Amino acid sequence: MKFILHEIKLWFKDENSEPKSYDFLPDKVNVITGDSTTGKTSFWNVIDYCLLSGKVTIPTEIIDKVLWFGIRFTVNEKEISIVRRTPSNGSVSSDVSFNVGGFPVTPEGNREVAEIKSILDEEFGISDALRFPYGKGLGKTTFNISYRHFLLFNSLTQTIIDAPETYYDTTFYGKEEYDKALSHIFDLVIGVNDMENIKAIERLQEIEASLKAIQNQEKGNQNKIKNFETEIFKLVEKCKAYKFIEYSESIDSVDDAILMIKETIANTKKVAENSKLFSEVDALYKSKNAIQAQINAISQYQKEYDLYKKNLNKSADSLQPIEFLSQQLSDQLVDSYETKLFVESLESSLKNIKVNLSKKITEPLKVTGDVKELKTQIQEIDKQIAKLNEIKKNYQSEGEKFIALGEIKYAYEQILKREVNKPIDTIKLNSLNEEKERLAKVPQETSQIKFLMKTELNQSIQRNFNLLNSLPTYKDSRVEFNSDKMILQLIPDGQMFPLDNVGSASNYMFMHLCLYLGLHEHVLNIEQDHIPEFLFIDQPSTPYYEGKNDDKAKLIDAFTLLNSFVDYIRVKKNKHFQIIMVEHASKEYWIDNKLTYFHTVDEFIDGKGLIPNDIYKN
């Protein structure tokens, strides 16, 4: 993807200060050189911030002086400028000025960040055709790709330039997200997969999961059927044990078993009628007890009545002398008023007793007849009870059968209430199998493409490695990129396995340069659409200055490699490529060695820096 950075511009918070611009040339190694702590590394931070980073990496001392950061670039023959307000309180700003063409005179927010990102996605070739390679009906790929993920391949930062085990600075952008991005898009970058293939592989995984779910459903259905049949036949055996079904009855199919159970349960009412036997016996005993109570009451009445008459006779006998005394000896009794009253009272009582005894008292009940009738009723009840008790003796086992039948009926009802088998979707199953068969070819084809693309990538890296003079120990060695570990490995001539350690930080710096240059060379060869044709390199001289070893020859070797790369791309390949580099080394390194593709953007020496000295000190 053609991409040329033309300018970085800073607008300052000091209204009296003029904006500061840094200009870059196409097809050149654009160098900002100078002393330490002058803001050289911040050039990439500014570029990344204007490309709508979601995190703040620009140093605070720069943020404190700058009001707006801007970049102007050409992408796909279209000139674009993006100006973004400085971060505030550690957070990125949403005020962004997006313009087709040059910078505005006075920046002001005019577009939403999401809208600008969408525009840049399209410029980087990330369209719906990439997000939905099989159409929107089948959804996006599992990874939500963005133009920003490809910036991993455009920035060789100071943090990793000489690191033994890290070749892509995912930490700078956001480690978790960009580690995931790297694993998803590296094959896409080198031409192994386009997103259609990636989606095909993802779709295969989805199909496998769906097929497994259907298989599990079918397995579950079979288990349910098996368990259902087992429990049904258990109920049949229970029916036989209680003689609801004859043991000799042969039941081979589950349908016959269900029919037999249904018929057995249907006979429940018939058996239930026999249960009335117990209530009838209870009712007869209650009737007998009631009649016996009546007989007992009558008997008690007769006893009391006979006792009453006997007592009256005794009272009459005891009063007989009073009558004699009254008739025969009245003249001899004391003639007093009290005596007369007493005798007269006794005579009156005797008279009343005789009257009562002479009366023919009618029985209040038909005692004799009632008792006889009641006893007849008891005899009849006793006969019925005896008869029912005889039946009852033989019914104890029938009662148990009735209980067992209730259990069988309940168990059968519970079996029927269980989850009904959900039939598998055979149409979906056939469709998935057909799609699987079609897509299964993709990984095989991808495997072949991957071998070819990795071979070509390694050839491009090797071409750059072979230009070096600073690694005489490994002169005839072979380089190979390990896409599993995301590192470049070096295999000495005559050996089969890569070295675990290639030595000094200087050696690793060269390995990083060869990888990035080889990768971009390969990307240009396959005409990959998503990677911009530029590379930011942060201080290749780091291994020498940090180690206090100014190895000028090795540094010139590194610069010569960069110069020859641009020449190779520009002349041999007739394509375009831009390098932006910040460096400690002075411009004499490339001027004296006639590195014609080097262009000095600025020198941060004698107090100069990214922020002009007069503004920085205010």
Side-chain angles (χ1 to χ4, degrees), residues 199-348:
K199 180 62 178 180
I201 293 171
E202 290 177 356
R203 180 59 183 157
L204 267 176
Q205 294 172 345
E206 293 173 359
I207 289 172
E208 291 292 351
S210 297
L211 288 174
K212 186 174 181 181
I214 292 174
Q215 290 169 0
N216 289 339
Q217 179 187 341
E218 179 62 18
K219 185 178 180 181
N221 286 346
Q222 293 300 323
N223 287 336
K224 287 177 184 177
I225 292 171
K226 185 177 180 180
N227 292 337
F228 177 80
E229 292 179 351
T230 299
E231 294 190 27
I232 288 294
F233 280 108
K234 281 183 180 179
L235 291 182
V236 169
E237 291 303 313
K238 192 169 185 178
C239 287
K240 288 184 176 182
Y242 283 92
K243 297 182 180 179
F244 296 123
I245 301 173
E246 294 296 329
Y247 266 110
S248 58
E249 189 78 35
S250 177
I251 302 174
D252 298 322
S253 71
V254 69
D255 291 335
D256 291 341
I258 291 173
L259 180 61
M260 193 67 70
I261 291 171
K262 285 182 177 179
E263 290 177 352
T264 300
I265 292 172
N267 293 327
T268 302
K269 291 182 179 180
K270 297 178 181 178
V271 178
E273 289 175 358
N274 292 334
S275 67
K276 296 178 182 178
L277 169 70
F278 297 98
S279 58
E280 288 179 8
V281 172
D282 287 341
L284 288 172
Y285 273 114
K286 286 180 181 179
S287 297
K288 179 179 177 180
N289 291 337
I291 294 171
Q292 187 64 53
Q294 292 182 48
I295 292 172
N296 291 341
I298 292 171
S299 297
Q300 184 64 30
Y301 167 77
Q302 287 178 326
K303 289 179 182 179
E304 291 177 356
Y305 182 72
D306 291 343
L307 180 61
Y308 169 72
K309 288 181 71 176
K310 184 177 180 181
N311 288 336
L312 280 177
N313 286 324
K314 284 183 178 181
S315 297
D317 291 341
S318 64
L319 290 175
Q320 288 297 330
I322 294 302
E323 186 178 12
F324 174 79
L325 290 174
S326 177
Q327 294 175 358
Q328 303 295 330
L329 301 175
S330 59
D331 55 341
Q332 298 180 17
L333 294 174
V334 177
D335 189 11
S336 67
Y337 178 74
E338 291 79 1
T339 302
K340 287 183 179 181
L341 285 176
F342 175 69
V343 172
E344 288 176 359
S345 175
L346 291 176
E347 287 179 342
S348 177

Side-chain angles (χ1 to χ4, degrees), residues 48 67 99 125 127 138 159 250 282 313 335 359 382 404 412 492 618:
D48 184 58
L67 182 61
N99 298 280
S127 61
L138 289 176
T159 304
S250 177
D282 287 341
N313 286 324
D335 189 11
K359 287 181 180 179
D382 284 340
Y412 178 67
N618 288 337

Side-chain angles (χ1 to χ4, degrees), residues 14 24-25 46 52 60 179 181 228 256 276 289 294 300 303 318 381 401 406 431 439 444 458 462 526 540 548 569 577:
D14 182 356
F24 305 88
L25 301 180
V46 171
L52 306 180
T60 302
D179 277 342
F228 177 80
D256 291 341
K276 296 178 182 178
N289 291 337
Q294 292 182 48
Q300 184 64 30
K303 289 179 182 179
S318 64
I381 288 172
K401 286 184 178 181
S431 175
L439 295 178
Q444 297 173 3
N458 286 329
Q462 188 75 49
I526 65 172
K548 297 181 180 180
I569 297 300
F577 198 79

